[in-house]
Amino acid sequence: PLNCIIPMIKEALDQPNQPKSISENLLRPAYYSANLLNHLINDILDYSRVKKLKFQLNFSKFNFHDCLSYLRQLFSLQIEKKSLKLSIEDSELDLSNFKGDQQRLTQVMTNLLSNAIKFTRKGEIKIIITYHDKFYRIGVRDTGIGIREEDKEKLFKAFGVLEGQEYRSLNNHGVGLGLMISNTIVKCLGSSGIVCESTFGEGSHFYFDIPKDPDQIVLKEPRTTQDLQVSHMGRFSAVQGSQCYCQRILIVDDNDYNLMVLARMVKKRGFEAIEAYDGEDALKKLVSSFDQYPKCRNSNCQRINLILSNLNMPNHDGFELIQDVRGFKSDQNLSLIHIS
């Protein structure tokens, strides 16, 4: 359901004539809340992967300043509501070509910032980034209630929710997975783990060190803040980079809402969306497209050359569609992308 909820709210936010009272007071909080729910679901899924040692990372080169801007925007409403101050100290470091896993690093920072805001009633929260001896130190410091010494050992354990009235009054919805998962992530990124320095009643400082140049990294082009926020939407315009300039994209999904969302995304980017409800329906429309347009006519071509398909569908599913697509000749310039 979130695959429908998040992009639809985002599209409503992007409407040029949307009243500010609606966009800022209703839609934007709903958008950020849906993203936070998405993070929680990912935490639960990640916990399962951690237990089975099936944790995957995607190393790339990206602009960490964009991540920091995204985090500031993500938590701006919570910061404002609690009358807190959020600042970033990065010692004027150039973080435009940061190397690591952008999504996972953002996930860790989201968890640390969320905890800091949650347990801070007044004062300031700082994101602090320093560099020394080929390592970045990234941390979050707050002026919150702090952590008792005897409670620190619970922090990085699964379901390690802190007991006590002080903690429960500020964290009545936490499940105690975020820090354990975050600690596992930073270790995979080359860190020795998250360090907690805290004095009860004064505040806490959570930080970790990661290498500037991780081993066995495959560099990609830097991504922007826009990529970070709408990466689940995909970049359909990349199709125009090939020799074929076909404008029709076949979307395959058995869920009506998913079809609607994907079709709107495709049309928004200037393409025509052809909808199919399962692999069998998709195959019929694909064959019809190639029968009608056997040769690509460049800018005048109306043939399908890209398929966006769900995998799990009744009757003829996405896996069977893969075999069908492979039956087409390679010179047809046909691509298939799975979505889930």
Side-chain angles (χ1 to χ4, degrees):
L2 284 174
N3 288 336
C4 175
I5 293 170
I6 294 175
M8 291 299 281
I9 296 176
K10 182 65 168 62
E11 183 167 342
L13 270 171
D14 291 340
Q15 295 299 314
N17 298 324
Q18 189 71 255
K20 189 173 181 180
S21 60
I22 299 295
S23 62
E24 296 301 319
N25 297 333
L26 298 178
L27 292 175
R28 196 169 299 280
Y31 178 67
Y32 289 146
S33 296
N35 274 289
L36 288 174
L37 177 59
N38 194 36
H39 288 310
L40 176 59
I41 293 172
N42 286 331
D43 275 354
I44 296 172
L45 294 175
D46 283 342
Y47 173 63
S48 176
R49 296 187 188 107
V50 168
K51 286 187 67 177
K52 296 178 181 178
L53 299 179
K54 292 184 178 180
F55 208 78
Q56 294 184 345
L57 294 172
N58 179 27
F59 287 103
S60 63
K61 180 171 64 175
F62 62 94
N63 191 333
F64 194 44
H65 293 296
D66 285 344
C67 289
L68 297 175
S69 298
Y70 167 76
L71 290 167
R72 185 189 288 275
Q73 184 181 32
L74 179 65
F75 290 104
S76 60
L77 288 177
Q78 296 179 49
I79 290 291
E80 182 180 351
K81 184 178 180 180
K82 299 187 75 171
S83 299
L84 301 174
K85 179 183 177 183
L86 175 62
S87 61
I88 299 173
E89 295 182 5
D90 58 13
S91 303
E92 298 184 351
L93 295 170
D94 182 7
L95 305 174
S96 59
N97 289 299
F98 202 88
K99 301 174 185 178
D101 186 312
Q102 180 182 17
Q103 179 182 348
R104 295 300 186 183
L105 188 56
T106 304
Q107 181 181 347
V108 171
M109 294 303 295
T110 299
N111 175 250
L112 295 183
L113 274 172
S114 177
N115 288 342
I117 295 170
K118 196 182 303 179
F119 292 106
T120 302
R121 290 192 176 97
K122 60 180 181 179
E124 183 179 14
I125 295 169
K126 290 184 180 180
I127 300 175
I128 305 173
I129 305 172
T130 57
Y131 178 75
H132 178 70
D133 196 21
K134 300 181 180 179
F135 277 82
Y136 287 107
R137 173 165 291 183
I138 303 172
V140 175
R141 177 178 289 158
D142 64 61
T143 56
I145 64 172
I147 302 167
R148 293 186 178 91
E149 196 65 34
E150 61 269 24
D151 288 330
K152 290 181 181 179
E153 62 181 25
K154 302 178 184 177
L155 293 175
F156 303 105
K157 295 180 179 179
F159 305 103
V161 179
L162 299 182
E163 300 296 334
Q165 181 60 35
E166 305 95 336
Y167 300 123
R168 284 197 297 269
S169 64
L170 297 172
N171 185 34
N172 56 348
H173 298 298
V175 295
L177 289 176
L179 273 177
M180 188 216 66
I181 293 170
S182 295
N183 198 38
T184 302
I185 291 174
V186 299
K187 286 180 178 179
C188 291
L189 293 173
S191 173
S192 58
I194 297 176
V195 178
C196 170
E197 296 177 352
S198 183
T199 302
F200 187 71
E202 296 183 10
S204 303
H205 183 201
F206 286 82
Y207 64 87
F208 55 92
D209 298 336
I210 56 174
K212 179 182 179 182
D213 294 301
D215 294 332
Q216 300 178 341
I217 188 169
V218 178
L219 298 184
K220 300 177 181 178
E221 289 302 310
R223 301 168 68 193
T224 66
T225 306
Q226 182 180 11
D227 294 330
L228 179 66
Q229 294 179 352
V230 298
S231 59
H232 56 278
M233 296 184 181
R235 284 181 165 268
F236 304 113
S237 58
V239 181
Q240 294 184 339
S242 64
Q243 293 181 349
C244 180
Y245 291 86
C246 310
Q247 299 294 306
R248 307 177 89 201
I249 296 177
L250 178 62
I251 303 168
V252 192
D253 202 305
D254 60 309
N255 185 295
D256 291 338
Y257 293 115
N258 288 344
L259 276 177
M260 178 180 65
V261 169
L262 288 168
R264 292 176 72 93
M265 292 178 183
V266 166
K267 293 173 183 177
K268 190 175 181 180
R269 286 158 175 79
F271 295 93
E272 180 183 352
I274 309 299
E275 300 177 14
Y277 293 94
D278 59 23
E280 186 176 352
D281 186 27
L283 186 60
K284 290 179 181 177
K285 291 177 178 176
L286 191 61
V287 170
S288 174
S289 170
F290 279 94
D291 287 345
Q292 189 175 1
Y293 303 99
K295 297 284 187 180
C296 176
R297 300 177 182 176
N298 296 324
S299 59
N300 296 321
C301 183
Q302 296 296 312
R303 191 179 63 179
I304 295 170
N305 79 324
L306 176 64
I307 305 170
L308 301 177
S309 175
N310 190 4
L311 278 179
N312 300 311
M313 297 177 289
N315 303 323
H316 205 87
D317 64 18
F319 295 101
E320 293 174 286
L321 184 59
I322 293 174
Q323 301 303 320
D324 298 331
V325 170
R326 286 175 177 170
F328 284 82
K329 293 182 180 180
S330 59
D331 62 357
Q332 300 288 4
N333 196 29
L334 179 64
S335 300
L336 188 149
I337 297 175
H338 282 134
I339 54 179
S340 62

